[in-house]
Amino acid sequence: MSTEQSSLSQILPLELIDKCIGSRIWVLLSGDKEFVGTLIGFDDFVNMVLEDVTEYDVDGSETQRKKILLSGNHITMLVPGGEGPKSVAVN
Amino acid sequence: MSTETTTTSTEISAPSRFLNEITATSVIVKLYSGEEYHGILESIDGYMNVTMEDTKEYVHGKLIKTYNDVFIRGNNVLYISNV
């Protein structure tokens, strides 16, 4: 029934995030809020623990936090590397 | 397949460990609506329902109110930060 041997060695979505543990990550939420920090870990709901965090608000303000537990509820996208919103040219 | 590997590398998940670390310490709870609650974290559950003591309510960085005891329903919580 299962033909796993022949299938491509697929990386599951959460495996990709698991590989990011210990490195910087950029987290985008619905509603234009963004976080950049070092990923300490996460759970099955993608609640995330981040360290040395910069919070980017809708109004452009930035807040620094040492360590946070971010609710997974409104997370839309995770970008490994974590350059943050300033790395992307906005047109 | 019936066996599902857990996504975290440790037995106790990082979020749970962090919550154990910060209970009974000073924390900042930020809500989606923008309010921040600064206080002593009394307890927290899996829904991120929170109870806090000696709580100060800030909106846009301005102190609005103080409370002795508060309960915050978990669905409103954006993040919980240590201080």
Side-chain angles (χ1 to χ4, degrees):
Chain A
M1 189 178 128
S2 61
T3 56
E4 278 168 72
Q5 299 299 333
S6 57
S7 67
L8 320 165
S9 63
Q10 221 191 94
I11 297 183
L12 294 168
L14 289 184
E15 279 179 38
L16 179 72
I17 304 310
D18 200 61
K19 286 175 194 284
C20 297
I21 288 176
S23 52
R24 301 291 284 175
I25 193 165
W26 178 16
V27 183
L28 292 88
L29 310 197
S30 57
D32 263 1
K33 204 178 251 301
E34 303 179 11
F35 291 84
V36 174
T38 303
L39 181 61
I40 302 303
F42 64 97
D43 63 15
D44 290 343
F45 303 108
V46 202
N47 298 319
M48 314 189 99
V49 180
L50 300 169
E51 208 168 46
D52 302 317
V53 185
T54 308
E55 173 188 352
Y56 298 88
D57 218 329
V58 196
D59 58 12
S61 66
E62 295 178 17
T63 313
Q64 303 295 325
R65 298 278 183 231
K66 186 76 193 108
K67 200 173 184 185
I68 71 168
L69 170 62
L70 179 63
S71 167
N73 223 329
H74 288 219
I75 291 176
T76 57
M77 186 159 68
L78 302 166
V79 184
E83 297 92 345
K86 283 168 185 164
S87 66
V88 180
V90 277
N91 294 314
Chain B
M1 306 278 1
S2 59
T3 54
E4 187 84 10
T5 54
T6 55
T7 49
T8 46
S9 50
T10 47
E11 298 98 345
I12 173 167
S13 70
S16 304
R17 195 154 7 95
F18 179 64
L19 292 177
N20 292 336
E21 270 172 39
I22 62 169
T23 37
T25 68
S26 280
V27 297
I28 299 168
V29 176
K30 184 155 184 171
L31 309 190
Y32 290 112
S33 45
E35 293 98 333
E36 283 181 11
Y37 293 88
H38 298 217
I40 314 284
L41 181 63
E42 228 171 27
S43 66
I44 183 164
D45 65 14
Y47 298 106
M48 289 172 100
N49 295 323
V50 171
T51 57
M52 297 171 77
E53 270 182 331
D54 299 328
T55 311
K56 294 186 174 74
E57 179 183 61
Y58 289 86
V59 180
H60 303 300
K62 233 182 84 183
L63 180 61
I64 302 295
K65 271 178 197 158
T66 61
Y67 306 91
N68 286 329
D69 254 316
V70 295
F71 170 89
I72 300 170
R73 196 167 187 274
N75 64 307
N76 301 294
V77 175
L78 170 64
Y79 67 72
I80 302 169
S81 167
N82 63 1
V83 179

